[in-house]
Amino acid sequence: MADLDGIKDSHNYHLDKPVRSQPFPLKGCGALDWGMQNRLANIFDRRSGHTVMLAVDHGYFMGPTTGLERMDIDIVPLLDHADTLMCTRGILRSTMPSTFNKGVVLRASGGPSILKELSDEEIAVGMEDALRLNVSAVAVQVFIGGQFETRSVHNMTRLVDAGNRFGMPVLGVTAVGKELTRDAQYMRLATRICAELGAAYVKTYYVDQGFETVAAACPVPIVIAGGKKIPEFDALTMAYRAIQEGAAGVDMGRNIFQAAAPIPMIQAVRKVVHEGMQPAEAFDFYRAAQAGR
Ligand code: R5P
């Protein structure tokens, strides 16, 4: 009778306080299921609402590109500074420590290498394996205007259907073919299509003119890719502008792992994304950290 002996007949239901009900803070994600929201909360920081995703999935079509030759040596030390890791299942299983307990966004499309037509992708990961790997989202390339546009959109919608069954968010990645113009008009089109067809959030590129219209017209969060390596100050400026103009974060690869000092660079990117630090100050921070000050 030990269970019953200590029971007190006094309770505090806090009748003077209304039951708290907190809306999920991410744009356009309030109606998602609890599991889906919980996974997104592994990606976006609770305080700032933003994310620094470290993108290291390039090998799925580029092979061992500069900076990713030895990911055990050059990428694993960056993990402590990222909110989220974006990679392939091969690198996740072979190289990333399973003690990493932040969000993983799993590359889930692939097929052609840089030697072929890139838009010719298929789904490359089953939802069951994504669940087995305990990832927080799957990412799929969408080639609006590309040769295999319809198939790439269909890849995304099939992943969205599978993801909705299990509470797995899908990141729609807008990939811009060489023949297309990277401007706000194109980005509005591509990001909106991804969101309309079910992506929980969308990755795009920053454009100098009109990015705020891209962010405004997309009903779910947008993160920007870093793109090709540019000077560190310019990359910090791009991240700053994107955040100020409505992006919810960055999914940055080459501008971090190809930087002269990758750890100071990801730390500086964090200052911009989470604290709104101005580019000049973030660059000073980068140089001081690089010099060991
Ligand atoms: C490219 O297709 C990959 O998905 C990368 O994750 C993405 O481009 C972001 O990396 P980066 O900042 O190097 O452009």
Side-chain angles (χ1 to χ4, degrees), residues 25 33 35 55 71 75 83 96 123-124 162 208 219 233 237 242 254 259 279 283:
D33 186 66
M71 295 175 71
I75 300 301
D83 296 306
M96 296 302 157
I123 292 175
D208 285 327
F233 177 75
T237 302
R254 287 164 286 181
F283 187 60

Side-chain angles (χ1 to χ4, degrees), residues 55 57-58 61 86 107 141 203 205 225-227 251-254:
D57 59 322
H58 307 59
F61 69 105
M86 180 179 182
R107 160 61 56 189
Q141 217 81 345
K203 179 169 107 173
Y205 289 95
D251 185 26
M252 196 174 268
R254 287 164 286 181

Side-chain angles (χ1 to χ4, degrees), residues 23-267:
F24 189 65
L26 274 187
K27 178 168 86 165
C29 295
L32 299 178
D33 186 66
W34 194 94
M36 188 91 79
Q37 292 180 343
N38 185 252
R39 283 195 161 92
L40 287 168
N42 286 336
I43 297 171
F44 292 90
D45 182 84
R46 184 168 47 86
R47 290 164 295 265
S48 70
H50 294 160
T51 185
V52 173
M53 296 176 58
L54 176 63
V56 293
D57 59 322
H58 307 59
Y60 91 95
F61 69 105
M62 295 172 87
T65 196
T66 306
L68 298 184
E69 301 91 338
R70 283 293 302 275
M71 295 175 71
D72 56 325
I73 294 171
D74 293 321
I75 300 301
V76 169
L78 298 177
L79 296 183
D80 282 345
H81 309 281
D83 296 306
T84 306
L85 173 69
M86 180 179 182
C87 67
T88 60
R89 60 177 161 183
I91 286 298
L92 192 61
R93 283 202 167 96
S94 64
T95 309
M96 296 302 157
S98 53
T99 48
F100 181 73
N101 59 4
K102 302 179 204 166
V104 171
V105 176
L106 191 65
R107 160 61 56 189
S109 65
S113 72
I114 40 172
L115 307 177
K116 295 277 194 173
E117 166 54 44
L118 285 178
S119 70
D120 188 18
E121 285 195 352
E122 301 272 2
I123 292 175
V125 169
M127 197 53 66
E128 186 184 293
D129 208 30
L131 290 165
R132 186 178 295 114
L133 286 166
N134 200 28
V135 302
S136 294
V138 294
V140 54
Q141 217 81 345
V142 178
F143 297 86
I144 298 303
Q147 188 180 342
F148 297 98
E149 173 185 72
T150 300
R151 189 201 301 164
S152 72
V153 169
H154 191 45
N155 288 342
M156 189 189 78
T157 53
R158 280 192 292 159
L159 281 170
V160 168
D161 281 333
N164 284 348
R165 280 200 291 280
F166 298 104
M168 181 68 73
V170 172
L171 168 62
V173 178
T174 61
V176 192
K178 287 195 183 93
E179 67 288 0
L180 296 165
T181 312
R182 274 192 202 194
D183 59 12
Q185 185 179 19
Y186 175 84
M187 296 306 177
R188 282 194 299 268
L189 176 74
T191 54
R192 183 62 174 259
I193 288 172
C194 288
E196 296 255 359
L197 292 175
Y201 73 114
V202 181
K203 179 169 107 173
T204 188
Y205 289 95
Y206 181 73
V207 288
D208 285 327
Q209 300 293 325
F211 181 80
E212 67 279 10
T213 67
V214 181
C218 184
V220 295
I222 280 190
V223 295
I224 61 151
K228 284 187 183 151
K229 174 76 177 71
I230 53 178
E232 282 81 355
F233 177 75
D234 295 349
L236 293 168
T237 302
M238 177 173 67
Y240 179 79
R241 287 190 184 148
I243 295 294
Q244 298 306 309
E245 292 167 24
V250 299
D251 185 26
M252 196 174 268
R254 287 164 286 181
N255 278 293
I256 290 173
F257 61 72
Q258 292 178 355
I263 288 181
M265 186 59 183
I266 193 169
Q267 289 173 327

